[in-house]
Amino acid sequence: GAGVSQSPSNKVTEKGKDVELRCDPISGHTALYWYRQSLGQGLEFLIYFQGNSAPDKSGLPSDRFSAERTGGSVSTLTIQRTQQEDSAVYLCASSDRVGEQYFGPGTRLTVT
Amino acid sequence: GENVEQHPSTLSVQEGDSAVIKCTYSDSASNYFPWYKQELGKRPQLIIDIRSNVGEKKDQRIAVTLNKTAKHFSLHITETQPEDSAVYFCAASGGGGSNYKLTFGKGTLLTVNP
């Protein structure tokens, strides 16, 4: 079946603008995760959803970052008033059981 | 929280040789240890994983070993091929009641020279 998809694949925005990143998980996967990967770095956990609720938002770097999930499926990560240090690849993953996460292709965000 | 250390950061081998990547973790409650392969510009892909009730798992040329006492686990790739060249990430989860959150190592860039 279809894997995790993300859109857009690339986003260039000016400093101070808001951006929305979208994730479509694998159908039937109840858990959804957002990660951030900076150049040459590992994956940094941002937020976890189980269904539509987010029991763990501990990785969100500031209150400019927020995320929601509707219908137990699509999730949107919003970054307000973007800063240059927000430039990174934002990866979404989903799973139907503990641990086995399957990643999307990511959104490369560049803040100029 | 959990902390995962990964070594080496870069590894270069000749085609046909073996490659070993090692990770240590800090939270003794962690119980799931996956390995991901990420080719340049691509998404991370799960290649093998191990749970804490086993010590070793093998899938063709790839094997993972786990030592819970020492809190370390390793990825072994035998008969390496150029297409094995990628960044490999280890991860751990299950510690501190967060049985869903993966904590990743910083990655190992593996280069297999033909």
Side-chain angles (χ1 to χ4, degrees), chain A:
Chain A
V4 178
S5 61
Q6 293 185 244
S7 61
S9 55
N10 282 284
K11 177 72 177 178
V12 180
T13 190
E14 292 181 351
K15 177 181 173 181
K17 296 289 180 79
D18 298 351
V19 295
E20 284 190 353
L21 313 180
R22 177 187 168 107
C23 172
D24 282 88
I26 293 172
S27 178
H29 280 192
T30 58
L32 185 147
Y33 316 78
W34 284 98
Y35 294 88
R36 180 168 70 175
Q37 186 173 31
S38 301
L39 186 63
Q41 296 297 308
L43 289 85
E44 174 190 5
F45 170 83
L46 298 179
I47 188 169
Y48 156 69
F49 286 92
Q50 182 60 44
N52 290 335
S53 64
D56 189 346
K57 306 178 183 179
S58 62
L60 294 178
S62 76
D63 59 8
R64 296 185 295 104
F65 288 72
S66 63
E68 64 176 16
R69 188 180 186 194
T70 55
S73 181
V74 172
S75 176
T76 303
L77 177 68
T78 301
I79 309 174
Q80 295 179 311
R81 305 181 303 281
T82 51
Q83 304 294 314
Q84 287 188 331
E85 59 263 28
D86 299 334
S87 295
V89 175
Y90 289 82
L91 289 158
C92 172
S94 71
S95 69
D96 65 352
R97 59 176 290 184
V98 171
E100 294 178 9
Q101 299 181 21
Y102 297 89
F103 283 84
T107 293
R108 181 175 298 278
L109 175 66
T110 303
V111 182
T112 62

Side-chain angles (χ1 to χ4, degrees), chain A residues 3-4 33 35 37 40-43 45 48 55-56 58 91 97-105 108, chain B residues 31-32 34 36 38 41-46 49 51 89 93 98-107:
Chain A
V4 178
Y33 316 78
Y35 294 88
Q37 186 173 31
Q41 296 297 308
L43 289 85
F45 170 83
Y48 156 69
D56 189 346
S58 62
L91 289 158
R97 59 176 290 184
V98 171
E100 294 178 9
Q101 299 181 21
Y102 297 89
F103 283 84
R108 181 175 298 278
Chain B
N31 55 18
Y32 176 67
Y36 285 84
Q38 187 175 32
K42 302 285 184 64
R43 74 187 76 191
Q45 292 197 302
L46 179 69
D49 57 13
R51 297 184 187 271
F89 293 97
S93 77
S98 300
N99 59 357
Y100 50 83
K101 182 192 299 186
L102 289 177
T103 301
F104 285 84
K106 292 194 180 299

